[in-house]
């Protein structure tokens, strides 16, 4: 499905990549963007792209990113082979740190089809947002369809977001300090330790 935009006498067809959707404000997901999708991506004013495949990014796409001053964050997750869970957890954790950093927004997440690897990353984000598992799985299945993978759902279910919350807590105080009046994320878990402030 495309969008027709009229600019004076000109009419342009804006074609989003397959499986395109908004995840949250300024966070989007899709399959691999191709050149017919570039005009649509321009309308998103992207600052960053998270690419979840190990293959090199095509030159045509790199040139588009350079022309739009979009940063590329690549996290090479194999698509068909079974990835060891510890390696996958570390990679998804690193990708989540980029994803939740508002300095990287607006941001697009994509793999090849926008189903499994993208679905895993979004599913782990939803756990961080405290979605119930049934809602997380429903969203994953909506994009994966008949190709839903039990291994992906198990990974999302077992993914421990507590460590990431601790990292977030540290980042909040590192960048904003205890006395900052800026809006910031707060977590209620009592077992999270506030970073210690050292007198200078």
């Amino acid at each position: 499905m495309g969008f027709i935009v009229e600019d004076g006498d000109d009419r342009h067809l804006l074609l989003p990549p397959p499986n395109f959707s908004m995840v949250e404000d300024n966070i989007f997901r899709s399959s691999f963007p191709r050149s017919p999708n570039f005009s649509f991506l321009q309308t998103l004013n992207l600052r960053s792209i998270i690419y979840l495949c190990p293959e090199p990014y095509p030159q045509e796409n790199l040139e588009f990113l350079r022309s739009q001053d979009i940063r590329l964050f690549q996290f090479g997750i194999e698509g068909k082979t079974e990835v060891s869970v510890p390696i996958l957890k570390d990679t998804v954790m690193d990708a989540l740190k980029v994803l939740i950093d508002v300095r990287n927004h607006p941001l697009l997440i994509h793999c090849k089809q926008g189903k499994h690897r993208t679905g895993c990353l979004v599913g782990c984000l939803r756990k961080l947002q405290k979605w119930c598992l049934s809602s997380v799985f429903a969203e994953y299945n909506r994009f994966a369809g008949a190709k839903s993978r039990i291994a992906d759902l198990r990974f999302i279910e077992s993914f421990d977001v507590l460590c990431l919350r601790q990292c977030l807590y540290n980042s909040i105080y590192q960048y904003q300090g205890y006395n900052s009046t800026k809006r910031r994320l707060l977590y209620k878990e009592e077992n999270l330790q506030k970073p210690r402030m050292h007198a200078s």
Side-chain angles (χ1 to χ4, degrees), residues 1-165:
M1 187 177 94
F3 304 91
I4 295 176
V5 176
E6 296 192 14
D7 181 14
D9 295 332
D10 294 329
R11 299 181 77 198
H12 305 287
L13 179 65
L14 298 179
L15 189 66
N19 262 343
F20 176 82
S21 183
M22 178 183 281
V23 177
E24 289 288 335
D25 285 345
N26 290 318
I27 299 176
F28 309 93
R29 62 179 290 169
S30 75
S31 66
F32 203 106
R34 305 294 178 190
S35 56
N37 311 128
F38 291 169
S39 294
F40 173 80
L41 294 184
Q42 281 182 288
T43 68
L44 303 179
N45 298 312
L46 293 175
R47 189 175 290 174
S48 310
I49 283 181
I50 291 179
Y51 171 48
L52 299 173
C53 303
E55 295 81 11
Y57 219 51
Q59 188 62 34
E60 184 178 32
N61 290 59
L62 287 174
E63 289 172 5
F64 169 73
L65 297 193
R66 277 194 288 268
S67 73
Q68 302 299 309
D69 197 24
I70 298 171
R71 287 171 292 185
L72 177 67
F73 295 91
Q74 182 170 3
F75 300 93
I77 301 172
E78 293 291 340
K80 295 181 180 178
T81 57
E82 287 292 326
V83 182
S84 75
V85 172
I87 291 175
L88 186 56
K89 281 184 177 177
D90 288 345
T91 306
V92 168
M93 188 74 76
D94 289 341
L96 275 171
K97 290 175 186 176
V98 172
L99 174 58
I100 61 181
D101 189 337
V102 294
R103 294 170 298 178
N104 298 322
H105 296 175
L107 179 148
L108 173 70
I109 311 160
H110 77 81
C111 49
K112 286 193 176 170
Q113 302 299 323
K115 296 178 179 179
H116 305 110
R117 287 168 280 195
T118 298
C120 281
L121 181 58
V122 172
C124 292
L125 171 68
R126 297 310 192 191
K127 285 193 70 176
L128 183 65
Q129 295 175 314
K130 297 185 178 179
W131 279 31
C132 67
L133 269 180
S134 60
S135 296
V136 175
F137 289 173
E139 182 178 43
Y140 171 92
N141 288 324
R142 190 167 74 247
F143 289 91
K147 295 188 176 181
S148 177
R149 294 178 181 168
I150 296 296
D152 288 349
L153 299 177
R154 284 181 183 152
F155 173 79
I156 294 169
E157 183 176 12
S158 66
F159 189 80
D160 183 8
V161 295
L162 188 59
C163 177
L164 182 61
R165 287 193 178 119

